[in-house]
Amino acid sequence: MLLRFLLLALPCCGQALRMNQIQIIGTHNSYHAGLGPSEMTLLREQNPAAAAALDYRHPPLEDQLNAGVRQLELDVYGDTKGGLYADPLYPKLVAKAGLPADPPPFADPSVMRRPGFKVLHAQDVDIRSHCPTLVLCLETVRRWSKAHPRHLPIYIQLENKDGRSRPEFVQPEKITKVTMDALDAEIRSVFQKNEIITPDLVRGKFETLAEAVQKQGWPELRKALGKVVFILDQERVTPLYVDGHPALRGRMMFTNAQPGAPDAAFVKVNNPQVPELPGLIRQGYLVRTMTDGGIAAIRAGKTQRRDAALASGAQILSTDYPFDWKLATYQVAFPGGVNVRCNPVNAPSSCVVKPDR
C-alpha cells in the first residue's frame, strides 16, 4: 500500500521547508478514460500510430489522489454556448462501420449541452473523460481536498485546446482574452480564494513574481497544506492571460513563463535532460517536467529520461506510469514507493521525511 508523506524541515536552524523544496508525482492527461473498444478498433484501422499513442487510461481523479498523485493535468476546450462537443463524430463512425456501440455513452448529453469548458483530449475522436466538464473535475478535487484537509498542495495544470479545422470535425472555439477570464471565473465558481495558492499570495510585497520567488521564495509548505495551485500550461496563450494583469495581479493561475519575466514563478521544462534545469530550481522557480520517453522507450525498459527527471530537482514529475498502476517493468516513484520526497537540488540539509497520518 502506498504511504503518503509530509516533508518538514527540522527546527534546529529556523529554516522552514517551502513548497518548491520537495518533489511530487503527477499524471499526464489525468482525466483520460481511454477510447472505447470499437473506437479503438476503428482508429487502429485508420491511424495505427495514433491508436498506439492513445491506448492508455488513468483511474478516476479521486483514485489518483488517494494513491498519492499531487499534480493533475486537464485539457480544456471552450464551449461558450454549450453543446459544441455533445454529438462527437467517432461514435457515429463506429455505427457506420457496423461495430458494436461502446457502452457507456462517452458523457451525459445534458451535461455536454451546458455552457462551460469541456475536458477531453481530441475533439470527435479521443473524447472520453472521467469528468467531461472543468467544473465537474474541479468539484471532484475540492470534495477530495475537504475530506483530506492536511494534504500536500495539489497542482492543477490547465491546457487550452483549440485544435485545427478538419473535414467533419468540430471546429473548437478560438482562444481569446475572454476565454482566459472565463477560466478564472470557473475556478472561482468552485474554489474559495483561501483554498488556492494564488500569484498574488506568492508575489506579496514584490513588484514581480520572478523577484518574489528569487528573493523570498515560495510559501512555507506547512501553510500550503490542504490547498490547490492552478497552472496555465501553454506559453502561446500567456499574452492573453497577462494582458491587464501585470505580474498576474488578480489572476488565479500561474503561467508557463520565461525565466526572469514579471510573471515567472512556474516554468515548464518537458525535457528533464536539458542542462539548465537544475539552475532554474536553484533560482527559486517551480518546474514541471515529463518523465516518460514514449511508449517504445517504455516497452524497451529505457529509464534514462525518468532517472534524469528524478535527479533534476524539477518539483513536479508528470508521467503516464505513476507508482505501480500499469507496468511492473517501468514506473515513476521515489525510493520506498512514496509519492513525495525532499528535493535533491534545493531542499535544506535539515529536510526529513515524516508520515502525515
Side-chain angles (χ1 to χ4, degrees), residues 4 11 86 122 160 188 201 222 267 292 297 300 331 339 342-343:
R4 288 183 291 277
N160 289 97
R188 291 190 185 100
L201 180 64
R222 63 185 178 87
V267 180
D292 309 332
Q331 53 188 268
N339 70 324
C342 295
N343 193 296

Side-chain angles (χ1 to χ4, degrees), residues 179-249:
T179 310
M180 301 292 97
D181 294 340
L183 271 176
D184 274 1
E186 288 210 0
I187 291 170
R188 291 190 185 100
S189 76
V190 176
F191 286 94
Q192 298 177 16
K193 186 176 180 180
N194 65 357
E195 297 169 343
I196 306 173
I197 301 294
T198 63
D200 288 337
L201 180 64
V202 172
R203 189 186 329 97
K205 64 181 180 180
F206 294 94
E207 281 298 310
T208 71
L209 279 163
E211 186 182 13
V213 299
Q214 291 182 36
K215 293 183 177 179
Q216 175 178 276
W218 284 78
E220 294 178 12
L221 181 61
R222 63 185 178 87
K223 295 180 180 179
L225 300 180
K227 298 184 185 297
V228 296
V229 186
F230 286 92
I231 297 167
L232 183 62
D233 184 289
Q234 291 180 320
E235 57 271 29
R236 68 186 177 94
V237 301
T238 293
L240 299 171
Y241 196 66
V242 301
D243 184 22
H245 299 267
L248 297 178
R249 282 170 172 78

Side-chain angles (χ1 to χ4, degrees), residues 211-343:
E211 186 182 13
V213 299
Q214 291 182 36
K215 293 183 177 179
Q216 175 178 276
W218 284 78
E220 294 178 12
L221 181 61
R222 63 185 178 87
K223 295 180 180 179
L225 300 180
K227 298 184 185 297
V228 296
V229 186
F230 286 92
I231 297 167
L232 183 62
D233 184 289
Q234 291 180 320
E235 57 271 29
R236 68 186 177 94
V237 301
T238 293
L240 299 171
Y241 196 66
V242 301
D243 184 22
H245 299 267
L248 297 178
R249 282 170 172 78
R251 285 302 199 186
M252 292 291 101
M253 297 181 281
F254 293 90
T255 50
N256 172 25
Q258 291 295 316
D263 58 315
F266 167 80
V267 180
K268 183 178 73 173
V269 182
N270 279 340
N271 182 1
Q273 296 171 301
V274 297
E276 62 266 28
L277 200 161
L280 294 173
I281 305 301
R282 295 187 183 96
Q283 290 178 58
Y285 295 112
L286 190 119
V287 177
R288 175 261 202 178
T289 196
M290 297 285 290
T291 62
D292 309 332
I295 187 63
I298 299 303
R299 288 174 176 168
K302 295 181 180 179
T303 62
Q304 292 90 336
R305 182 176 174 129
R306 181 198 66 186
D307 297 343
L310 289 165
S312 70
Q315 292 90 348
I316 300 173
L317 307 177
S318 182
T319 179
D320 283 323
Y321 301 89
F323 317 123
D324 56 357
W325 294 358
K326 298 180 180 180
L327 291 177
T329 55
Y330 178 91
Q331 53 188 268
V332 177
F334 302 124
V338 300
N339 70 324
V340 61
R341 70 170 181 176
C342 295
N343 193 296

Side-chain angles (χ1 to χ4, degrees), residues 155-167:
Y155 295 86
I156 303 175
Q157 183 171 317
L158 302 183
E159 180 177 353
N160 289 97
K161 291 288 194 78
D162 52 7
R164 66 182 189 273
S165 180
R166 299 172 61 184

